[in-house]
Amino acid sequence: MRVGTDGVLLGAWAEAEKATTILDIGTGTGVIALMLAQRSNAQIDAIDIEEGAIKDAGFNFNQSPWAERMTVVHCSIQEYVGQTAKLYDCIVSNPPFFSNSLKSKQMEKSLARHTDTLSFEELIDGVAKLLKHTGRFCVILPIEAKIEMITIASKFKLYPSRITQVKPNPLKPVKRVLIKFQFESLNLKEDELIIETETRHTYTSGFIQFVKAFYLNL
């Protein structure tokens, strides 16, 4: 199973423990959904528009100890809104981004990394329709997309309540940002996570503590 750092970060960071229903938008191989299944007793639905991803996620779910609580659906968030009556305690997404960058020759990578098939506004619109009033939406983004996402979310009455900025190491600038949105405007909590020390492949104690439940060796 392909496991990216972004997915691991979101899967470890999103608030899942008290959720009874969780939706993973753009599940890919299903790693985020599986991490949330490990951390909760929730019923988890995962959606994706790419057929290969659906097959991979379905296989991975069926091989897991939490298969009975996990469902994968081949559709877009726009389609899913029209075919479900469910509302969710927690919605997560590692969404398409890099809309202005050079597209990959591999269609799967293009779909996963460009906003042509899912704009931020379409994503937030779907989230706002599927999220319980007391629910939370957790997302990981490039730092450059932070302001755009917060601005769009505010149009749908979703407000950031926690932001974690992620640095590859102490010497490099912030590359990713994790944001939790809620319908209620609360005091914003902000913190920072550094993945590696100044020595390559040597992880910080904070990062090890953050993800140790999901790795056999780190």
Side-chain angles (χ1 to χ4, degrees), residues 2 10 13 27 29 32 37 46 49 92 114 125-126 143 152 166 170 195 218:
R2 300 186 303 275
L10 182 58
W13 186 86
T27 195
T29 58
I32 297 170
I49 62 172
V92 297
H114 293 86
D125 180 49
I143 187 61
I152 291 171
V166 183
I195 296 177
L218 188 63

Side-chain angles (χ1 to χ4, degrees), residues 25-28 46-54 73-79 96 107-108 110-112 114 116-118:
I25 301 172
T27 195
I47 65 173
D48 205 293
I49 62 172
E50 205 275 300
E51 187 173 357
I54 291 297
V73 182
H74 185 196
C75 71
S76 67
I77 182 60
Q78 298 95 321
E79 293 169 327
M107 181 57 70
E108 292 88 350
S110 288
L111 288 173
H114 293 86
D116 297 6
T117 55
L118 180 64

Side-chain angles (χ1 to χ4, degrees), residues 94-136:
N94 176 13
F97 51 81
F98 304 145
S99 59
N100 295 319
S101 65
L102 183 66
K103 288 183 171 60
S104 166
K105 293 181 180 180
Q106 295 179 299
M107 181 57 70
E108 292 88 350
K109 289 185 178 180
S110 288
L111 288 173
R113 286 292 178 265
H114 293 86
T115 58
D116 297 6
T117 55
L118 180 64
S119 69
F120 286 166
E121 185 141 358
E122 289 172 317
L123 172 61
I124 294 294
D125 180 49
V127 168
K129 291 173 179 174
L130 295 174
L131 190 65
K132 291 181 181 178
H133 181 70
T134 56
R136 54 269 186 200

Side-chain angles (χ1 to χ4, degrees), residues 158-170:
L158 283 164
Y159 307 100
S161 58
R162 183 185 175 194
I163 293 176
T164 298
Q165 299 196 133
V166 183
K167 297 177 69 172
N169 66 50

